[in-house]
Amino acid sequence: MSESLFADASKRLEKALAYVPISEDTLKRLKYPKASLTVSIPVRMDDGSLSIFQGYRVRYDDTRGPGKGGVRYHPSVSLDEVQSLAFWMTFKSALLNLPFGGAKGGITVNPKQLSKQELERLSRGYIEAIADFIGPDVDILAPDVYTNEMIMGWMMDHYSIITRRISPAVVTGKPITMGGSQGRTSATAMGAYYAISAILPKFSQLPAQTTVAIQGFGNVGAILAELLAKVGYKVVAVSDSQGGIYAEHGLDIPSVRQYKNAGGSMKAVYCDKSVCNIVEHRLITNAELLALDVDVLIPAALENQITEANANDIQAKFIFEVANGPINSAADQILEKKGIHVFPDILINAGGVTVSYFEWVQNRSGLYWNLTEVNERLKGKMAEETERTWKISQEFGVSMRTAAYIHALNRLGEALDAKGTRDYYVNQL
């Protein structure tokens, strides 16, 4: 097991353990994943050549229910990364009180270099390789970095072919026509928006007086930027993997999205239908965006974006982790000393897994909800668990990250202890 990302992720528990009466048995169980699978996926390329891709699936814990977690396609995917993400998913599911454990999957690939036909072969090949490891009652897949509803549809279809029965509940984030849920595409952004809306008023931080920078302008970051701008937040900077744009007086986010979707690049523009006029802005790097003097910083890209190397450069008052693990444990300590409030990924980006749960329930019941119902249920869930986490933070005088882990550990501990612990068996003698 690598001593990199997973070792760092595990450190997040240390502070929480001082506040949770957790059994030794539970701690031992949470130190290791329940099961890990590494597979080789042969894919016939469009030019007739054969390529072999490395794939992974980790089911970290299933004490509270089936494993649940996304599948990402990215060149940096490794077993260490997937295991870390599955670890975080375990706590995220418990924090939101969902009947799931934690799992994650991925393929080491640059999907931008593949044709759509090659992507389909790769996606179906992945399911071919892991079909015995997953299932609606065992481990449920979902979209993640560089995977989308089309890919989820291919995966669900191929699993159904293998098992010879229609199994929509094995995958969430599918197209609506294949049993997907209303609101799933926007769920992570909506959940983050509801959490931000619940938290910032506690600091008397009003939208019109709040500047925001968002690193990551993919599906989640772009939707969240638009939601925040719509209610009056001044979104002054956004970026993608190529870099970002900054406009001191705020960006017209719908226009930036329109321009990026049309041409693949970002500029600060104002669009009136098909006509876009460039407005004053400057180009910035992702590193410069993270260091901007703004009220709210939202990392919505990949993990380890803020480390001990750049934590002292951060000027934002509040950081909301929409990406998984964007801040490492060493940077956490620096940010805390600087008085910066960090709101953790396992809470802030939990909207995705929450609406995935809704989709799973709808698939199994055959009853489907409209978008208003989905968003109302999501808002209620995010508001409830955000408030509970906040109260724990205030009660113990700890950060919101530590409070989130305390809250999740309490639920995980109760479930694991229900199976029997050393104390139970010793007292029966």
Side-chain angles (χ1 to χ4, degrees), residues 379-422:
K379 183 178 182 180
K381 201 74 169 154
M382 292 299 299
E384 178 183 8
E385 299 305 339
T386 297
E387 189 60 30
R388 287 184 177 183
T389 305
W390 174 260
K391 287 181 177 178
I392 292 170
S393 171
Q394 298 302 296
E395 178 184 353
F396 293 113
V398 296
S399 70
M400 281 289 281
R401 190 187 306 283
T402 299
Y405 277 98
I406 291 171
H407 194 17
L409 265 175
N410 277 321
R411 286 175 171 158
L412 281 165
E414 289 171 0
L416 286 160
D417 288 353
K419 292 186 174 183
T421 65
R422 178 181 181 276

Side-chain angles (χ1 to χ4, degrees), residues 214 236-246 251 266-267 281-289:
I214 301 179
V236 298
V238 295
S239 68
D240 61 14
S241 59
Q242 304 303 310
I245 52 176
Y246 170 79
L251 297 163
M266 289 195 302
K267 283 188 177 180
H281 68 283
R282 66 182 174 93
L283 300 179
I284 57 173
T285 65
N286 273 289
E288 289 173 328
L289 181 143

Side-chain angles (χ1 to χ4, degrees), residues 1-11 78 80-81 84 304:
M1 183 171 60
S2 170
E3 287 297 313
S4 56
L5 189 61
F6 179 70
D8 190 73
S10 302
K11 292 178 182 177
S78 65
D80 175 63
E81 179 186 50
S84 302
N304 278 342

